[in-house]
Amino acid sequence: MAKVAFLGLGVMGYPMAGHLVKAGHQVTVYNRTTAKAEAWVKQFGGAIALTPKLAAQDQGIVFTCVGNDKDLHQVVLGDEGVIHGLKPGAVLVDHTTASADIAREIGTALTAQGLGFIDAPVSGGQAGAENGVLTVMAGGDEAVFNQVKDVIMSYARCAELLGETGAGQLTKMVNQICIAGVVQGLAEALHFARSAGLDGEKVVEVISKGAAQSWQMENRYKSMWAGEYNFGFAIDWMRKDLGIALEEARRNGSHLPLTALVDQFYSEVQGMGGNRWDTSSLLARLEKSRK
Ligand code: NAP
């Protein structure tokens, strides 16, 4: 059993922290909006800390899952941040999708104080978090990763170290680049099927048994065909992720024309009021322009 803290009880963090309790770990939680932490403790037990620093005190592992670079900087390196509470030898595992830069900044600051750090963004969405079957893409020191991997597996079906600090975030960028292209392809396919007068559901039931199959197809074609988008992975989050990937690409010299274009398509969906719509709503943009 490990003594751990989980900071950031959002859509992802809330169920992830719950799986830690179910796996037998002793969990303290922190959430900026305390009401969420109170609801979590009511459901799972454990303790509440009122600041990240207090949450980190006396823990073997501290997990974070907040929104973006700025939030992460505040929670870890801010005046009341995790860094001021961790005891020597403790490890911070960050599940936020953020830049490789902030991962390296935090890694450097923590290592200088004899603390461990693993950047560990996740894939699998809300359902993956609730069912404890996330994919975790990690970066950092191998010995430190091995120290925390079993505890991470409380809510994951796969957790792998991909390289040094920042490699987890870079891998998540690869993941989001893949998704952007696949979702646009699926949206165009369904748009075409409707324009051609086909039964989209029947079409997908057939083609999903062949080479066109994808996670997006399996999990999204029904809701896309029905025009339902009020759930899932929000476009605001996706644009944050694509922005990080495009910024990284500018530096590493890679060419991401499709990713850049899909990012712009998403900005049009935001203009349609779709900030919180699922990423599959690229189809709504195409259907809007139907003649
Ligand atoms: P969310 O529901 O919006 O939750 C964000 C959490 O971060 C909340 O607990 C929020 O506290 C906290 N937070 C934000 N800014 C903070 C700050 N400055 N100080 C302290 N706490 C702060 O987001 P989510 O969907 O769980 O996503 C979390 C991360 O996982 C994001 O980086 C996202 O890109 C990534 N992710 C999400 C999904 C998904 O399907 N949702 C999938 C993969 C990866 P409050 O409760 O006080 O607002």
Side-chain angles (χ1 to χ4, degrees):
M1 186 196 75
K3 198 164 178 299
V4 306
F6 203 107
L7 284 60
L9 301 173
V11 168
M12 300 298 284
Y14 192 102
M16 289 163 79
H19 283 292
L20 289 170
V21 172
K22 289 177 205 158
H25 302 297
Q26 190 181 329
V27 185
T28 296
V29 291
Y30 161 80
N31 197 68
R32 179 178 56 183
T33 309
T34 312
K36 266 192 220 168
E38 285 166 355
W40 188 92
V41 166
K42 206 169 166 197
Q43 187 173 347
F44 296 104
I48 297 178
L50 292 179
T51 67
K53 176 183 168 182
L54 291 172
Q57 280 171 359
D58 208 28
Q59 308 293 351
I61 311 170
V62 173
F63 298 92
T64 44
C65 189
V66 293
N68 56 28
D69 279 29
K70 198 166 143 272
D71 304 329
L72 188 58
H73 192 280
Q74 192 178 346
V75 166
V76 178
L77 304 176
D79 290 345
E80 290 297 319
V82 169
I83 194 169
H84 305 297
L86 289 172
K87 64 180 181 188
V91 180
L92 172 66
V93 176
D94 174 45
H95 291 305
T96 310
T97 302
S99 69
D101 277 353
I102 185 84
R104 293 185 196 112
E105 184 183 348
I106 290 173
T108 303
L110 264 57
T111 309
Q113 296 196 17
L115 303 163
F117 176 64
I118 300 291
D119 57 296
V122 301
S123 173
Q126 182 173 358
E130 288 172 355
N131 297 322
V133 292
L134 292 169
T135 296
V136 180
M137 300 155 260
D141 179 84
E142 194 172 357
V144 174
F145 178 69
N146 289 335
Q147 210 179 312
V148 297
K149 183 176 174 179
D150 281 352
V151 183
I152 290 175
M153 290 307 286
S154 306
Y155 44 76
R157 71 169 155 207
C158 166
E160 288 297 331
L161 189 70
L162 282 313
E164 55 196 29
T165 303
Q169 295 298 352
L170 292 171
T171 303
K172 174 76 182 185
M173 293 173 212
V174 175
N175 187 76
Q176 300 306 74
I177 291 164
C178 285
I179 290 175
V182 170
V183 177
Q184 176 63 16
L186 179 58
E188 289 185 18
L190 292 176
H191 178 61
F192 176 90
R194 180 160 280 147
S195 305
L198 291 168
D199 178 335
E201 297 211 14
K202 272 194 182 154
V203 166
V204 172
E205 274 158 31
V206 173
I207 66 169
S208 62
K209 296 187 174 56
Q213 194 271 344
S214 66
W215 185 98
Q216 298 293 337
M217 184 179 280
E218 293 257 308
N219 291 279
R220 293 291 187 262
Y221 82 92
K222 279 196 175 152
S223 47
M224 289 171 84
W225 194 251
E228 290 164 3
Y229 302 113
N230 266 327
F231 71 103
F233 186 58
I235 285 181
D236 281 354
W237 280 144
M238 186 58 162
R239 288 210 73 207
K240 166 190 66 111
D241 295 358
L242 296 181
I244 290 169
L246 290 166
E247 178 65 31
E248 189 68 38
R250 197 186 298 276
R251 272 179 294 175
N252 72 17
S254 52
H255 308 287
L256 306 180
L258 183 57
T259 307
L261 193 59
V262 173
D263 177 58
Q264 289 305 296
F265 292 162
Y266 278 130
S267 91
E268 289 176 31
V269 183
Q270 286 175 319
M272 292 163 60
N275 297 61
R276 300 297 299 178
W277 291 355
D278 183 63
T279 45
S280 58
S281 56
L282 284 172
L283 179 56
R285 174 184 160 273
L286 295 171
E287 296 284 283
K288 191 178 159 227
S289 60
R290 177 182 295 286
K291 284 190 182 156

